Amino acid sequence: MSLRHFALFVLALAVIASALGVVWARHLHRQAYIALSTLEGQRDELNIEFGRLQLEQATWSEANRIEQVAGTRLGMTFPADTDIVVLQP
């Protein structure tokens, strides 16, 4: 094998290795893109859920909502007027 044939063989191997490297890089890029798309979808779902939770939390702080929960879930009632004692300093 002459030096010229050896150089062509090495050059052909380098071209094949480069082509395989490009294919592998594109494969990794595709996998990363799919993972990113999945994570973006999950992020969007979580942002929607967070907005719902903020809205629900805002309604919980309303006095009417607190009265409703206290009456229905906890069985609490307002005290009678005779049970109220006002203290003077």
Side-chain angles (χ1 to χ4, degrees):
M1 185 188 283
S2 68
L3 184 59
R4 183 176 176 186
H5 286 100
F6 180 73
L8 287 175
F9 178 72
V10 170
L11 183 60
L13 285 179
V15 168
I16 292 171
S18 296
L20 289 174
V22 168
V23 170
W24 181 251
R26 285 187 180 185
H27 173 70
L28 292 178
H29 174 264
R30 195 173 306 123
Q31 284 182 332
Y33 180 77
I34 291 169
L36 177 64
S37 297
T38 302
L39 289 173
E40 285 176 341
Q42 290 174 351
R43 180 205 58 201
D44 293 343
E45 289 175 10
L46 289 173
N47 280 335
I48 290 169
E49 183 66 23
F50 182 68
R52 288 179 185 153
L53 290 173
Q54 284 181 319
L55 181 62
E56 186 175 346
Q57 181 185 20
T59 61
W60 283 356
S61 63
E62 294 177 1
N64 294 338
R65 173 74 175 148
I66 294 171
E67 283 182 34
Q68 180 187 11
V69 170
T72 58
R73 292 188 188 171
L74 302 176
M76 299 175 86
T77 59
F78 282 103
D81 290 339
T82 57
D83 295 334
I84 298 174
V85 177
V86 178
L87 301 175
Q88 298 295 329

